[in-house]
Amino acid sequence: MLYYLPLLLLLENSLAWSSKHQVSRGTMPLLSSSKSDEALYTSADITDTIRKESVMEMEKVTEVVNTSCSESKRPLLIETNDDFNSYIHNNSIENFLFDCDGVLYRGTDAMPCASQTIQQLISRGKKVFFVTNNAASTRMELKTKLEKVLNCRGILKEDMMIGSAYVAGQYLKSCKLTKDSDNKTRVHVIGTAGLCSELQSAGFDISGGQDPVDTPSGMSRDELAAYQFPEGEIDALVIGLDNDFNYRKLCIATVLLQRNPDALLVATNLDAFDLVGFDARHLPGNGALVSAVEMASGRTAINVGKPSSTLSELIMDVYGLKAEETLMVGDRLDTDITFGNDSGMKSALVLTGCATSSDIASVMKDDESSQMIPSVIFPHVGYMFDDAAGDN
C-alpha cells in the first residue's frame, strides 16, 4: 500500500487533490510505483497522509450524522481540541483505554500526535491502558513496540498493556482449574509463541503452539487413528490467531476436546478479519479459526477479547476503574465501540483504521446495532492533544 502514497502526495500538490484520488479505508488508486518512490517516502509523509485521509473521512461522517441520524442516536462530533476537553471535563473522564493498530499506529508508523497525546494524558495524572485483541505479542513486546513507534521510552509500564494473550492467562487463573498429578494445569494452544509465553508466565504447562518446521500440515484418517496424543490430559484449550493453522492442528484440537469434555475452550478474540493491502483485502482473523474448532468439536468458545464482558470485568477489577469514568478509544465498531458501550464506558471512534462513513451510516439505520454507535467521533487521536488544535 505504501508504494502508492508518494505519487498521491505529488498529485495532491499538482492537481489540488481532486476527488477521484481521495483515499479511504486503506484503498488506493492503481498507480505505478518504484523502489525509488518508496525510498523518498518517509514516516512523516505517511503520518501526514493519514491525517489528511482521516479529516476527509470526517467530512463524510459529518454529512451522514447530520442528514440521516436521529437526535437520540447522534454521536458528538469533535471538531477541535477544545470540544474534546469540554467532553472529558463534562463527563469526568479519568481513564483512557486505547486500541493500538489503527488508533495509535498503522504498521510501524505513528498516527498524528499519538505520542504527544499519550504523554500528555499520563503527565496530567490520567490512567492510560492499551487494550488489544492481538494475542501474538507478550505484554513486554507490546510495550517495546509502543515505545519505539511512539518514541516515548521511560513513561510506559508493563501493567498498562492489556493484550488478549495476557487476559486469557488471567481468566484461566481465575477459573482455578483442577491440577493433574504433577500439580500443573495443562493448556493446549493454537497460536503464536507470544501467546504460549503469556500462558506460561501465568503458571500453565503448555502443549501445541508453533510446530517444528518439518511437521506435516495435513492428517489422514489413518494418521489420526494412530496418533498417540503426547499432549496428555488438558484442562483448557486456547485459540489465538495462528498464521500456520492447518488441518492437522484442527484434528488434534478436536480430539483433545472430545477426550477432555470438562476442558475449557477459550478464544483470545472472535475478530472476523483484518484489512491489508492497497485494496483493503480481508485477512481472516481468529474468529475463523475459532469457528472451525467450534464446528468440529460441537463446543462454544469463551471469548476473552473485545467486546466480551470477561475482559471489561477483569480490567475494572484488576485496575480498580469505574466504567462511567472511562473512555474507550478505537477504530472498529464491532469490537472497540461495542466493548466500550456494553461495559458502561464512553466510546470514541477515530477514522484512521477500519470504520468508515459507510459503516457508520449502516449502524445508524439498524436498530439492532445501537451498541456500535460511538459516544463521540473525531478524525485521529491528535484531536486529544492540546497543542494540536491549530494543526488539525
Side-chain angles (χ1 to χ4, degrees):
M1 169 179 168
L2 299 184
Y3 296 165
Y4 300 93
L5 293 173
L7 294 183
L8 287 175
L9 289 177
L10 292 174
L11 284 170
E12 179 186 16
N13 293 332
S14 61
L15 301 178
W17 195 256
S18 63
S19 60
K20 68 178 180 180
H21 292 129
Q22 289 182 5
V23 182
S24 64
R25 199 172 188 170
T27 59
M28 297 283 182
L30 292 177
L31 303 174
S32 61
S33 66
S34 67
K35 289 186 178 180
S36 60
D37 292 331
E38 181 182 8
L40 291 171
Y41 203 67
T42 67
S43 182
D45 293 327
I46 296 168
T47 298
D48 190 54
T49 298
I50 292 171
R51 182 198 308 272
K52 291 173 181 176
E53 290 176 12
S54 65
V55 171
M56 288 191 294
E57 194 64 27
M58 186 68 179
E59 294 174 359
K60 300 176 186 177
V61 168
T62 300
E63 183 178 357
V64 166
V65 171
N66 290 339
T67 59
S68 61
C69 181
S70 65
E71 191 66 34
S72 61
K73 287 186 175 183
R74 183 171 297 174
L76 176 65
L77 303 180
I78 300 294
E79 298 181 354
T80 67
N81 175 256
D82 287 341
D83 291 343
F84 179 78
N85 283 336
S86 296
Y87 179 80
I88 294 305
H89 176 75
N90 294 337
N91 289 277
S92 303
I93 302 297
E94 296 295 329
N95 316 307
F96 295 83
L97 308 183
F98 287 91
D99 180 45
C100 296
D101 199 358
V103 176
L104 298 175
Y105 54 74
R106 184 183 293 178
T108 58
D109 301 296
M111 295 300 181
C113 293
S115 177
Q116 295 94 320
T117 296
I118 297 301
Q119 294 185 58
Q120 187 174 78
L121 289 172
I122 293 174
S123 69
R124 290 178 173 179
K126 304 296 185 181
K127 292 182 178 180
V128 175
F129 302 92
F130 305 94
V131 186
T132 174
N133 275 356
N134 186 343
S137 302
T138 65
R139 300 172 87 190
M140 184 56 69
E141 289 169 342
L142 177 59
K143 173 178 175 288
T144 299
K145 177 170 183 176
L146 285 168
E147 287 177 332
K148 181 177 180 180
V149 175
L150 301 182
N151 192 25
C152 56
R153 291 175 176 80
I155 66 169
L156 303 184
K157 310 296 182 185
E158 189 175 353
D159 65 4
M160 295 177 175
M161 312 297 147
I162 309 177
S164 59
Y166 164 75
V167 175
Q170 297 307 302
Y171 172 74
L172 292 177
K173 285 175 67 174
S174 73
C175 292
K176 300 183 178 0
L177 300 175
T178 303
K179 303 288 185 179
D180 64 13
S181 58
D182 297 327
N183 201 37
K184 290 183 179 179
T185 302
R186 298 187 180 275
V187 178
H188 185 74
V189 177
I190 294 175
T192 64
L195 175 56
C196 291
S197 179
E198 282 290 0
L199 293 173
Q200 287 173 325
S201 296
F204 300 110
D205 189 31
I206 302 301
S207 65
Q210 294 181 307
D211 287 334
V213 176
D214 58 351
T215 303
S217 60
M219 179 173 271
S220 69
R221 297 170 66 95
D222 292 341
E223 287 172 328
L224 179 58
Y227 189 71
Q228 295 301 306
F229 286 91
E231 297 83 4
E233 295 184 3
I234 63 169
D235 300 289
L237 193 150
V238 177
I239 307 172
L241 184 61
D242 183 347
N243 292 333
D244 297 317
F245 183 69
N246 54 43
Y247 191 67
R248 180 184 182 85
K249 292 183 178 183
L250 177 59
C251 288
I252 292 171
T254 301
V255 178
L256 282 173
L257 291 172
Q258 180 186 7
R259 290 185 166 194
N260 299 273
D262 294 328
L264 295 178
L265 176 59
V266 175
T268 60
N269 66 81
L270 298 177
D271 293 1
F273 60 87
D274 204 350
L275 301 177
V276 298
F278 69 90
D279 51 357
R281 300 175 184 186
H282 285 197
L283 178 71
N286 193 49
L289 280 59
V290 175
S291 294
V293 175
E294 287 181 331
M295 179 62 72
S297 67
R299 299 280 297 275
T300 300
I302 301 164
N303 179 26
V304 298
K306 294 176 291 187
S308 75
S309 59
T310 300
L311 174 59
S312 61
E313 290 168 4
L314 181 144
I315 292 174
M316 298 303 150
D317 292 344
V318 171
Y319 297 99
L321 308 184
K322 295 180 180 179
E324 62 273 17
E325 297 178 352
T326 304
L327 179 69
M328 176 69 217
V329 184
D331 69 306
R332 297 184 69 133
L333 299 174
D334 58 339
T335 55
D336 303 321
I337 302 307
T338 300
F339 172 67
N341 292 340
D342 284 349
S343 303
M345 309 175 198
K346 301 298 183 183
S347 58
L349 179 71
V350 293
L351 303 173
T352 48
C354 288
T356 67
S357 57
S358 297
D359 299 322
I360 295 169
S362 295
V363 300
M364 294 292 184
K365 297 174 183 176
D366 184 2
D367 291 337
E368 296 182 0
S369 299
S370 60
Q371 288 305 97
M372 294 189 191
I373 300 176
S375 308
V376 297
I377 304 175
F378 42 91
H380 55 75
V381 291
Y383 279 67
M384 301 173 67
F385 177 56
D386 273 350
D387 290 349
D391 300 328
N392 291 340

